[in-house]
Amino acid sequence: MKKLTEKLGFALLFLCMIISLFFLGSILYFIVSRGFSVISWEFLTQVPKKAMTAGGVAPAIVGTFYLTLGSILFALPLGLACAIYLCEYSPKSYVVNIIRMSINNLAGVPSVVFGLFGLAVFVKFFNFGVSMLSGALTLGIMILPNIISASQEALLAVPQSYREASLALGATHWQTIKKVVLPTAMPGILTGVILGIGRVAGETAPILFTAATFYTRGFPKSVFSEVMALPYHIYALMTEGTHPEKQTQIAYGCALILLALVLLISSVAIIIRQRQRKYYG
Amino acid sequence: MDKNNIRMKCEKVNFYYGRKRALDDINLDIYKNSVTAIIGPSGCGKSTLIRLYNRMNDLIPRTRLEGKIFLDDKNIYDIGSDVVEIRRKVGMVFQKPNPFPKTIFENISYGLEVNGEKDKTFINDRVISSLKKAALWCEVKDRLHDSALQLSGGQQQRLCIARCLAVEPEVILFDEPCASLDPISTQKIEELILELKKTYTIIIVTHNMQQAARVSDFTAFLYIGKLVEFGTTEKLFTVPKEKLTEEYLTGKFG
């Protein structure tokens, strides 16, 4: 009887793993099989032509790349500094707990709400207009709570004994954070960043009113330019236009490129993370 | 027990975790170039006491100290006393080996760098001499740039001792340094402590009475936050003055 439950349990877990893997695999299969045919050098390097039915999607690739990079450059230093303050400096009090809880709740706010916020604050109030800057800032604010909580988790996971060892050698609080705590927490922080990259690159709603445009003739010229972005381009291809068949194909191509782009940007973070991890073990 | 030889000194020390009193009116002198062992059953306040000597308990929220602790003639808890400087002078080796997740070399150079040393040759020489003093050099000289976490527990603890020696403290605190080590590593560390007392003033907390007897010159016996007896190790172990000390040493409680 005991053996039977043991086997049943194992089989159930294995089955769940297979099911998850099946969905993941089939997403990859559909995207690759439908999108691969449109991928070509021209597709990657040219601007769209003939009402989105020919040419390439280069401006959208560049736009998504810049938006992602910009939002991370904005959110990572800010979120990390915030997490360092909350974990290492703030007194452990009731108020700090409330701040933590609020930040976690903020992570659950729907992305379209961030889009509206970006429209009101960056586009209108700061008068950045519909631009790459507004989009990157909106996306950055959207993932700020995720970066803060991932960084907090990573900082809290650093053994207290490392901090004690450092302080006992006559290091200051800040030296301890900079030279011992942060390097130790870096893999965990980067995991947060990697997840953030995936989310930022793929979101449509926050850039809908703040940065994205359906078509640009060339590449963005400054941070105040409107940009094309892959997720928005997919949305546009699937909902507008007059050649649904061709457009659908291109949409799948865009999806494939989006996946590849996320992987590319994440891999930089993954490489840094692996280099740091080699000290463990 | 020459009064002129006192290096550190507790005066009427009370210590509280929240409302709970952990140390009760401790008066204790620590003599220069000697080993003072603090013994007593679990929870008697040994670790709490030793962590006061380098203000390590400052890190624990909601704790409070009354009384004074002197290093030479300065109260280290005076307002305006430089805690960073105190910790550089009063080094500490912890209960569990806690090397940084860095290379062996970096673990030792760390203390020099944070104290402003920039000269690469000086750092290099100091790393080597510290490893030699900690009797670890022969075992690690070919892999100074490997992760310190690959070392065995005993080696890690000696690395922590080397790390502590590198910044040239004047007093070294050992908080149960052998608690997680095997007998051979323990023996090595005990030999090291006997060697180190020629140049340093040492305070060691230990659970192990034999260890106290082997390495220390003075012993303080603590029981429920009170200093029951203090004296030379020889006297305390052979002719204890207090009945409680005798009962503890003979294993009536523990």
Side-chain angles (χ1 to χ4, degrees):
Chain A
M1 190 57 207
K2 228 172 161 182
K3 264 192 179 165
L4 190 71
T5 15
E6 174 83 11
K7 275 192 178 154
L8 261 172
F10 174 76
L12 195 69
L13 294 176
F14 186 75
L15 191 72
C16 292
M17 192 271 288
I18 289 293
I19 292 172
S20 316
L21 216 59
F22 168 77
F23 284 118
L24 211 66
S26 48
I27 290 172
L28 267 181
Y29 173 76
F30 271 105
I31 303 278
V32 173
S33 64
R34 296 196 183 186
F36 196 72
S37 60
V38 295
I39 304 281
S40 65
W41 184 243
E42 194 200 358
F43 191 70
L44 293 174
T45 55
Q46 298 297 311
V47 296
K49 283 170 197 153
K50 294 185 190 156
M52 306 290 153
T53 56
V57 292
I61 298 175
V62 172
T64 290
F65 180 78
Y66 282 154
L67 283 173
T68 309
L69 205 64
S71 65
I72 297 290
L73 286 180
F74 168 67
L76 180 60
L78 197 64
L80 189 53
C82 180
I84 291 173
Y85 175 76
L86 287 174
C87 286
E88 307 286 333
Y89 283 100
S90 69
K92 307 274 169 286
S93 72
Y94 183 66
V95 182
V96 171
N97 265 337
I98 291 182
I99 295 176
R100 278 199 191 139
M101 254 159 42
S102 324
I103 290 169
N104 286 335
N105 281 328
L106 210 59
V109 172
S111 55
V112 69
V113 176
F114 283 103
L116 286 173
F117 168 82
L119 174 68
V121 174
F122 298 122
V123 179
K124 298 277 192 262
F125 183 76
F126 285 113
N127 214 9
F128 294 153
V130 174
S131 65
M132 208 150 70
L133 184 63
S134 299
L137 290 174
T138 308
L139 288 168
I141 284 186
M142 182 189 72
I143 55 158
L144 201 53
N146 305 63
I147 301 260
I148 293 172
S149 47
S151 305
Q152 269 190 349
E153 294 299 319
L155 291 170
L156 289 174
V158 175
Q160 186 63 15
S161 67
Y162 289 176
R163 293 184 184 88
E164 290 188 345
S166 170
L167 293 170
L169 289 166
T172 62
H173 195 165
W174 174 239
Q175 283 173 326
T176 300
I177 291 168
K178 195 175 73 177
K179 295 185 164 211
V180 175
V181 177
L182 274 184
T184 311
M186 205 40 84
I189 294 168
L190 287 175
T191 301
V193 171
I194 293 166
L195 292 173
I197 288 171
R199 187 146 177 240
V200 164
E203 277 290 353
T204 317
I207 54 171
L208 208 56
F209 327 118
T210 57
T213 181
F214 185 54
Y215 172 73
T216 56
R217 228 176 296 149
F219 296 101
K221 287 184 184 60
S222 80
V223 289
F224 294 107
S225 312
E226 286 184 297
V227 283
M228 290 179 69
L230 287 168
Y232 182 66
H233 196 58
I234 295 172
Y235 169 77
L237 285 166
M238 297 304 280
T239 52
E240 291 164 44
T242 44
H243 304 276
E245 260 136 62
K246 274 193 176 159
Q247 286 178 209
T248 308
Q249 259 196 333
I250 294 177
Y252 275 104
C254 288
L256 182 56
I257 290 168
L258 186 57
L259 275 181
L261 195 67
V262 168
L263 208 63
L264 187 80
I265 305 177
S266 302
S267 62
V268 177
I270 291 171
I271 287 166
I272 301 173
R273 188 172 68 178
Q274 284 317 110
R275 277 181 42 181
Q276 188 53 234
R277 270 194 183 154
K278 78 174 182 219
Y279 289 118
Y280 296 75
Chain B
M1 287 202 223
D2 178 3
K3 288 283 171 202
N4 292 325
N5 260 338
I6 294 173
R7 197 69 224 267
M8 291 196 88
K9 185 186 177 79
C10 288
E11 233 177 61
K12 293 183 188 154
V13 166
N14 289 300
F15 190 77
Y16 304 84
Y17 292 107
R19 282 207 202 92
K20 193 179 149 274
R21 182 190 281 211
L23 293 174
D24 186 351
D25 196 28
I26 305 273
N27 293 287
L28 178 61
D29 297 339
I30 306 289
Y31 294 92
K32 219 176 258 180
N33 291 24
S34 67
V35 178
T36 304
I38 303 172
I39 62 168
S42 298
C44 71
K46 306 185 292 289
S47 284
T48 303
L49 177 59
I50 200 172
R51 288 167 60 94
L52 287 176
Y53 287 106
N54 65 343
R55 295 190 50 172
M56 220 16 111
N57 286 337
D58 291 13
L59 306 180
I60 304 170
R62 282 181 283 282
T63 56
R64 190 161 57 84
L65 174 93
E66 292 167 355
K68 294 171 178 171
I69 296 175
F70 292 95
L71 172 63
D72 299 324
D73 46 8
K74 271 173 71 183
N75 178 8
I76 60 172
Y77 283 87
D78 257 347
I79 298 165
S81 79
D82 182 357
V83 63
V84 170
E85 183 57 20
I86 289 158
R87 290 186 183 138
R88 202 200 57 72
K89 284 189 186 161
V90 184
M92 187 169 211
V93 175
F94 295 83
Q95 191 167 352
K96 259 178 69 192
N98 55 355
F100 301 124
K102 298 171 184 284
T103 68
I104 293 169
F105 187 95
E106 286 167 346
N107 259 278
I108 300 175
S109 64
Y110 178 81
L112 299 168
E113 281 158 16
V114 296
N115 285 295
E117 186 55 57
K118 294 211 167 63
D119 184 347
K120 286 270 185 312
T121 12
F122 178 84
I123 291 176
N124 211 37
D125 293 348
R126 184 61 74 75
V127 167
I128 294 169
S129 68
S130 306
L131 282 169
K132 280 180 178 160
K133 276 191 214 158
L136 190 61
W137 173 247
C138 295
E139 292 157 64
V140 301
K141 63 178 179 222
D142 302 321
R143 45 178 176 144
L144 290 177
H145 299 286
D146 288 358
S147 168
L149 300 184
Q150 286 167 358
L151 299 172
S152 73
Q155 287 172 326
Q156 287 190 5
Q157 195 62 305
R158 274 178 287 148
L159 181 71
C160 292
I161 295 174
R163 179 173 70 181
C164 170
L165 296 177
V167 297
E168 298 206 315
E170 295 161 19
V171 180
I172 304 179
L173 312 171
F174 287 90
D175 185 4
E176 294 194 50
C178 305
S180 61
L181 303 184
D182 62 277
I184 292 169
S185 303
T186 301
Q187 195 195 338
K188 281 189 180 162
I189 294 200
E190 286 182 12
E191 284 165 6
L192 200 56
I193 291 172
L194 289 173
E195 184 62 34
L196 291 173
K197 81 168 185 187
K198 292 173 190 163
T199 22
Y200 302 93
T201 301
I202 291 170
I203 307 175
I204 177 171
V205 160
T206 175
H207 232 81
N208 178 332
M209 283 177 269
Q210 282 75 36
Q211 186 170 58
R214 281 192 300 262
V215 302
S216 70
D217 306 300
F218 301 96
T219 299
F221 172 55
L222 236 59
Y223 186 66
I224 326 182
K226 283 200 167 78
L227 180 66
V228 176
E229 189 168 349
F230 173 71
T232 62
T233 301
E234 201 186 333
K235 279 212 177 126
L236 191 130
F237 273 79
T238 49
V239 280
K241 277 181 257 168
E242 301 291 328
K243 196 158 178 290
L244 208 57
T245 315
E246 189 180 342
E247 283 179 354
Y248 180 67
L249 292 173
T250 52
K252 291 226 170 78
F253 66 95

